[in-house]
Amino acid sequence: MRCLAILLNFLFVVTASAQTATGSATVAGSVIDARGGEALADVAVQLLISGAKPGNSNGPRTVSDSAGHFFLDGLGPGEYVLSVSTVGYHVVKQGFSLADGEAREFEVVLSPDNLARTDTVDVTAGPFEPTRDDSPSTLVLSGTDVANLASVLADDPLRAVQSLPGVTSNNDFDARFSVRGADYSRVGLYLDDILLHQPFHMLPGQNVTGSASAFNGDMVEELELHEGAFPARFGDRTAGILDVHTRDGSNTGTSFRVEASMSNAGIVAEGPFGKKKKRGSWLVASRFGYLQYLISRIVAGGSTLAFGLKDVQGRFSYDLSPKNKITLYLLQSYSNINVVGTSSNSGLNSLRTGGYDFTLANFGWHFTPTPKFVLNSHAAWMREKFNNYDPVSLPLEGGYYGEWVSTTNASWTWGASGNTGGQNSGASPLDLGISLRRGRDSGFSTQYTTATSPRLLDQSDGTALEAAGYVQQAWNAWRGRIHVNAGIHFDRDSLDGISTALPAASASIAITASTRIQLGWGQYAQHQDLALLTSIAGGSRLLPLRSNHALGAVEQRLNARTRFRAEFYNRADRDIADRPLFYPRMIAGKVFVPPLVPLWENSVRGYARGVETFLQRSSANGFTGWVSWGWGRTGMRDGITGSRFPSDYDQRNSISIYIGYRLRPSVNISIHSSYGSGFPIPGYLTLTNGVYYLAVARNQLRMKDYERTDLRINKSWTRDKWKVALYGELVNLTDRTNYVFDTVNSYNTKTGQTSVSLDSMLPIIPSVGLLLER
């Protein structure tokens, strides 16, 4: 009987092989990218014999050509499964029957791994265009670029943002960043139309703690960074806007992904609601990080901050009708931070341990009664809790923040329709919106000279209601070659009692089909943080921070997927809140000792100006990536002390290089290299013979330049039911030793000699990640 079974199995294999080896039937088709419809070359296309045992089902195979086309001939009749795959994309499998002599043709849509599976194409005007054409300075990240730049080690979408021109970050442990010399507190992070407060795995209150984004990169559809002169629909920030859009789950079928690397592990599951109509979808993701265990074993000496993190999040969407859609996004995250190792420079006021909770719930309603009118409403709630402790478990900081948000945005497109060169030549959208934000904040911060001598630096407790609204109108002229957008943003804060009316305008002029000039100008205001308005060192007397933006850019399209861009910017800031008497310093040869509780004042004015150049190619075929260089200066002047100094995040030169290339259908390689001149060390410090002393001038001493190069290789295998991907990465390929300033531990009131803590960044680290998808 066993011999008979072996013989029958052999005959089945021979028959199946003959089925594909002889005949006159053909299979042909094309492969395209779901984002934009670009033809995908060098994609593996294989026929699987339906019903064959695993390992015996492989039929003829080929790869798509430069136009995305594929062709298989000489096929016999039978049941087949078309399998199409390439690295960085979901596998598509489609069963079909083939008659003798029949010619079948397919159009296969592939979706990037970190986006939802779909069988439709998202038609866009081009690879560089944002979702809305109302901002003169927008950089867009999506798809495989976000995944490659997020880093296997950190797996954080905000790491991808740090690689963009104009963005600076010299801290390997921190996902936050500065924009054109302004710190992160002045950058607004919007997640699905909701301005978030601190959406990180982090601890507030520390100069250097590190951070990671609380939201999972597998749930992000697109990141849009507005670096200057952003439109009036954004408010309460003065330096830039990061607009994050989360994605729906797959509506084509249920899938599961399990990922694990040396620093974190996670699972992603998604699928449709309903078996037939599929009117909705669900998406759930969870992560667990253990980077602190890795760093504790690879970083020798010094004081290094590392994270442990956990989060779970989900997005649920449902179409109540063709015109009504509701969504619900939920996020719960927890992070703990530990200082790994010991250091002789660690003082009582250095962070040792801490914990931070972040919770977010966002309910959305999308209503489209007519093709020309769209209404989006959201109701959200967020909560944050944290506590920090020093090396002997004394409390350094603690706090609670909670906020209720309601926002409604509407868009009405009036005028004639038509499309010329990617621009709507007649339609003129009118946008308007209102929002209410009610926040509650309480917290404290303490400093120690000895374990028994606490010094209360600050304490706050209060609530506030902020109401805001905006109106903006767009016009097109010269058959769509001129696009103008103008608007005004209103808001009022109940705590400081100040109302603002802030205009903004931009223009885009297509000089030729490939050359474009963009201009932007705007006024912006940012009410001081609620903790500052209710603190013992601040108060509601503090005015909102204000900025005026002006920029001009020239963009040259070298072809449909390659561009060169040069942007010139100037930002003028005033009423910046600062503590002029916070830092110790030398005055007339003597050490100035700050008061016990230095007050916050609107004492600082500043400017940021510079130029950024950007050569970019965005394509799913061949090379993709960019080379950017930026030069800028950010200066400040304190009206109380009369001092002039560079900002804490003044970076004169920055270079970013990112290149990705698909070597084979199953292998992709990418490299990212970044350079940044050193940030100033905050405070009044000088260095003499390797010893730090107090100085008379502020922010004159700088850290060493920052350099880091990361290499990543992705390899994928496709099996009958599973896709397996292996991610290999070398972090800090050149083993460059980078440092970041931590804190001034103490100083001698007679000699001015100080004790300073510096943290070392990541050494060269090999990292490996594994993905299983079904």
Side-chain angles (χ1 to χ4, degrees):
M1 292 295 293
R2 184 177 180 183
C3 293
L4 180 61
I6 295 175
L7 178 60
L8 290 175
N9 185 59
F10 173 76
L11 291 175
F12 178 84
V13 173
V14 171
T15 303
S17 300
Q19 170 183 293
T20 60
T22 61
S24 58
T26 62
V27 170
S30 58
V31 187
I32 58 177
D33 192 335
R35 294 191 62 80
E38 181 184 6
L40 288 174
D42 204 26
V43 173
V45 180
Q46 183 170 24
L47 288 185
L48 305 177
I49 303 167
S50 182
K53 292 184 177 181
N56 296 323
S57 61
N58 291 344
R61 67 174 63 197
T62 186
V63 296
S64 59
D65 61 20
S66 59
H69 298 146
F70 63 88
F71 181 77
L72 293 166
D73 61 358
L75 305 175
E79 300 292 325
Y80 296 92
V81 175
L82 179 68
S83 176
V84 182
S85 64
T86 190
V87 63
Y89 288 80
H90 294 292
V91 178
V92 170
K93 293 184 179 181
Q94 183 174 344
F96 66 98
S97 299
L98 193 63
D100 188 26
E102 183 181 5
R104 292 293 301 267
E105 190 165 344
F106 298 87
E107 182 180 74
V108 182
V109 179
L110 291 188
S111 306
D113 274 341
N114 57 334
L115 300 181
R117 297 173 184 262
T118 181
D119 51 11
T120 60
V121 177
D122 180 16
V123 180
T124 61
F128 310 117
E129 306 301 333
T131 303
R132 302 177 60 177
D133 190 15
D134 61 356
S135 178
S137 180
T138 308
L139 299 173
V140 181
L141 278 174
S142 62
T144 55
D145 288 341
V146 175
N148 288 334
L149 289 166
S151 170
V152 174
L153 188 65
D155 192 22
D156 191 335
L158 293 189
R159 306 285 172 173
V161 178
Q162 291 180 0
S163 66
L164 294 174
V167 178
T168 54
S169 176
N170 291 3
N171 189 335
D172 294 343
F173 303 128
D174 203 344
R176 294 167 296 182
F177 50 84
S178 63
V179 173
R180 295 174 176 172
D183 67 86
Y184 176 78
S185 67
R186 296 177 58 188
V187 179
L189 197 161
Y190 281 76
L191 186 70
D192 294 334
D193 290 342
I194 297 298
L195 177 62
L196 302 184
H197 187 243
Q198 296 282 7
F200 298 104
H201 290 285
M202 59 165 287
L203 289 187
Q206 291 290 308
N207 290 331
V208 178
T209 61
S211 67
S213 59
F215 49 88
N216 195 317
D218 288 316
M219 301 192 70
V220 173
E221 181 174 20
E222 189 173 74
L223 300 156
E224 291 186 1
L225 179 66
H226 304 260
E227 294 189 304
F230 43 88
R233 57 190 170 97
F234 299 112
D236 205 26
R237 291 298 184 267
T238 55
I241 298 294
L242 179 62
D243 197 11
V244 182
H245 308 279
T246 59
R247 68 177 180 89
D248 288 336
S250 173
N251 59 7
T252 62
T254 303
S255 65
F256 300 90
R257 298 176 61 189
V258 178
E259 300 176 87
S261 71
M262 298 173 63
S263 59
N264 56 77
I267 184 170
V268 180
E270 58 186 300
F273 284 125
K275 294 182 178 180
K276 295 183 179 180
K277 294 185 178 181
K278 297 181 180 181
R279 295 171 59 179
S281 65
W282 56 272
L283 171 63
V284 177
S286 180
R287 289 185 300 176
F288 173 76
Y290 36 86
L291 181 62
Q292 73 274 27
Y293 302 117
L294 173 66
I295 291 180
S296 66
R297 287 161 174 77
I298 61 177
V299 178
S303 174
T304 302
L305 296 168
F307 283 101
L309 61 87
K310 302 174 185 177
D311 58 51
V312 60
Q313 48 207 299
R315 179 178 167 90
F316 309 91
S317 62
Y318 193 80
D319 294 330
L320 299 174
S321 70
K323 297 180 180 180
N324 286 274
K325 177 181 179 180
I326 58 174
T327 60
L328 176 64
Y329 177 86
L330 301 172
L331 166 62
Q332 175 62 57
S333 71
Y334 173 75
S335 52
N336 65 289
I337 297 181
N338 294 277
V339 176
V340 180
T342 59
S343 173
S344 59
N345 289 330
S346 296
L348 281 175
N349 299 300
S350 296
L351 177 68
R352 179 58 186 267
T353 60
Y356 178 62
D357 281 287
F358 177 78
T359 305
L360 172 66
N362 182 3
F363 176 79
W365 173 47
H366 182 83
F367 179 48
T368 312
T370 72
K372 291 189 175 184
F373 182 76
V374 177
L375 182 72
N376 281 296
S377 290
H378 288 268
W381 173 73
M382 68 190 80
R383 183 196 63 180
E384 304 161 10
K385 296 188 297 183
F386 77 97
N387 286 284
N388 301 342
Y389 299 94
D390 73 357
V392 293
S393 299
L394 295 173
L396 291 173
E397 293 96 10
Y400 170 89
Y401 180 85
E403 184 176 327
W404 289 93
V405 185
S406 174
T407 179
T408 298
N409 299 297
S411 180
W412 176 50
T413 302
W414 58 277
S417 61
N419 195 279
T420 303
Q423 298 283 349
N424 196 323
S425 60
S428 301
L430 170 67
D431 298 303
L432 64 156
I434 58 173
S435 67
L436 292 173
R437 298 165 51 202
R438 182 172 182 81
R440 163 78 187 277
D441 193 296
S442 62
F444 71 92
S445 61
T446 305
Q447 189 180 64
Y448 298 88
T449 54
T450 68
T452 58
S453 301
R455 173 189 178 192
L456 184 64
L457 296 179
D458 211 347
Q459 189 173 23
S460 62
D461 189 9
T463 61
L465 176 66
E466 183 175 328
Y470 73 90
V471 177
Q472 64 180 45
Q473 174 68 60
W475 297 271
N476 288 286
W478 196 14
R479 302 183 62 187
R481 296 173 67 176
I482 297 179
H483 181 82
V484 178
N485 188 85
I488 187 166
H489 183 95
F490 306 91
D491 67 21
R492 177 179 176 81
D493 189 283
S494 66
L495 201 53
D496 61 26
I498 295 176
S499 301
T500 65
L502 308 162
S506 64
S508 177
I509 306 169
I511 303 299
T512 68
S514 59
T515 305
R516 182 187 303 179
I517 295 177
Q518 292 176 300
L519 304 171
W521 173 86
Q523 294 183 342
Y524 306 92
Q526 180 174 342
H527 297 276
Q528 305 297 342
D529 196 74
L530 181 56
L532 192 57
L533 291 174
T534 60
S535 74
I536 59 175
S540 59
R541 61 184 174 79
L542 293 174
L543 303 173
L545 189 160
R546 293 179 180 263
S547 293
N548 291 341
H549 292 212
L551 63 85
V554 178
E555 185 171 304
Q556 178 67 44
R557 300 291 175 92
L558 305 181
N559 55 49
R561 298 197 168 270
T562 308
R563 67 170 175 172
F564 174 79
R565 179 180 175 86
E567 183 170 329
F568 305 85
Y569 65 89
N570 184 82
R571 187 185 71 234
D573 302 321
R574 64 182 175 91
D575 295 330
I576 299 175
D578 190 51
R579 282 174 141 174
L581 305 181
F582 178 77
Y583 293 109
R585 70 203 73 172
M586 300 299 296
I587 298 178
K590 295 183 179 180
V591 175
F592 166 76
V593 178
L596 182 62
V597 183
L599 297 180
W600 289 91
E601 305 287 351
N602 292 114
S603 59
V604 174
R605 289 175 173 261
Y607 69 87
R609 59 180 65 110
V611 58
E612 296 161 2
T613 60
F614 194 38
L615 177 62
Q616 181 184 20
R617 185 177 192 270
S618 179
S619 176
N621 303 304
F623 288 99
T624 187
W626 58 75
V627 176
S628 70
W629 168 78
W631 176 90
R633 296 195 62 159
T634 310
M636 302 290 178
R637 180 177 66 84
D638 192 304
I640 292 180
T641 65
S643 60
R644 296 178 181 270
F645 55 95
S647 80
D648 293 352
Y649 296 92
D650 176 56
Q651 190 168 80
R652 303 296 171 84
N653 287 279
S654 61
I655 298 173
S656 177
I657 301 173
Y658 163 63
I659 299 174
Y661 185 72
R662 184 148 44 93
L663 297 174
R664 298 171 53 190
S666 62
V667 179
N668 184 87
I669 185 171
S670 62
I671 187 169
H672 175 238
S673 183
S674 60
Y675 164 84
S677 53
F679 288 150
I681 297 178
Y684 295 76
L685 295 173
T686 187
L687 187 62
T688 304
N689 297 325
V691 179
Y692 290 93
Y693 291 90
L694 296 179
V696 297
R698 181 173 172 179
N699 287 10
Q700 300 304 308
L701 188 63
R702 290 180 177 262
M703 297 295 299
K704 292 183 178 179
D705 295 351
Y706 176 90
E707 297 177 24
R708 175 174 151 181
T709 300
D710 298 341
L711 176 67
R712 175 168 175 160
I713 299 177
N714 303 334
K715 167 68 178 176
S716 66
W717 295 268
T718 303
R719 296 295 180 259
D720 291 334
K721 295 183 178 181
W722 289 88
K723 173 186 174 181
V724 181
L726 185 67
Y727 306 129
E729 182 180 49
L730 270 178
V731 177
N732 195 7
L733 181 64
T734 61
D735 200 20
R736 162 84 175 192
T737 301
N738 295 302
Y739 292 93
V740 65
F741 173 75
D742 183 357
T743 185
V744 173
N745 298 311
S746 61
Y747 60 94
N748 189 305
T749 57
K750 294 183 178 180
T751 66
Q753 183 175 339
T754 65
S755 170
V756 174
S757 290
L758 302 179
D759 282 328
S760 60
M761 296 291 97
L762 293 174
I764 182 172
I765 301 177
S767 181
V768 178
L770 180 68
L771 177 146
L772 301 175
E773 179 179 17
R774 181 172 180 175

